[in-house]
């Protein structure tokens, strides 16, 4: 937020807004809107495996347990579902990057 206020870019993209407190602060910025991009859990798991990250998640069940903590945590924890519910635009990303880019451009009017 301080960097945005200091540099005052015409446009900026912030990724990974994960708590309602963060969202409340960002909502004070002029022109701010929240774009939520989601995918079915199975697709998210396969994409995570494909990136070779989170090697401690050896099964879909472990992934679900880890993700559940992020999706609906307590007020001082990550609350992705609550943040996503307040999005101005909600997209479902089940395709490739070009299809996602097309969805974003269409919804943002660019």
């Amino acid at each position: 937020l301080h960097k945005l206020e200091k540099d005052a870019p015409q446009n900026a993209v912030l990724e990974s807004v994960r708590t309602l407190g963060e969202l409340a602060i960002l909502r004070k910025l002029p022109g701010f809107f929240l774009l939520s991009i989601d995918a079915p859990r199975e697709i998210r798991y396969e994409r995570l495996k494909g990136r070779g990250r989170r090697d401690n998640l050896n099964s879909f069940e472990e992934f679900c347990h880890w993700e559940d903590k992020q999706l609906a945590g307590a007020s001082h924890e990550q609350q992705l579902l609550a943040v996503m519910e307040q999005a101005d635009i909600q997209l479902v990303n089940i395709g490739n990057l070009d299809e996602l880019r097309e969805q974003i451009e269409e919804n943002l009017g660019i």
Side-chain angles (χ1 to χ4, degrees):
L1 183 59
H2 295 294
K3 184 169 177 53
L4 286 173
E5 290 172 337
K6 178 183 167 222
D7 296 344
Q10 183 175 2
N11 294 303
V13 175
L14 304 173
E15 64 174 333
S16 204
V17 177
R18 295 178 176 268
T19 70
L20 293 173
E22 290 172 328
L23 180 57
I25 291 169
L26 292 169
R27 286 270 184 218
K28 295 176 184 178
L29 293 171
F32 174 83
F33 69 93
L34 182 64
L35 170 67
S36 168
I37 302 174
D38 197 9
R41 188 174 261 193
E42 293 81 6
I43 291 175
R44 292 194 307 270
Y45 176 65
E46 290 302 319
R47 289 174 178 165
L48 186 69
K49 284 187 350 183
R51 289 192 294 264
R53 296 172 53 196
R54 300 294 309 192
D55 55 2
N56 60 330
L57 301 176
N58 298 313
S59 69
F60 182 67
E61 291 75 23
E62 287 179 21
F63 169 76
C64 291
H65 178 74
W66 169 77
E67 191 179 64
D68 285 344
K69 289 180 181 179
Q70 294 187 5
L71 291 174
S75 62
H76 62 284
E77 298 173 326
Q78 295 182 25
Q79 306 160 311
L80 293 176
L81 287 179
V83 170
M84 291 169 59
E85 287 172 359
Q86 294 191 31
D88 301 297
I89 299 172
Q90 297 178 339
L91 302 180
V92 177
N93 177 18
I94 58 172
N96 61 38
L97 284 175
D98 288 333
E99 292 168 327
L100 176 60
R101 186 175 294 112
E102 189 175 300
Q103 280 189 73
I104 292 170
E105 290 174 355
E106 180 180 309
N107 279 275
L108 297 181
I110 53 175

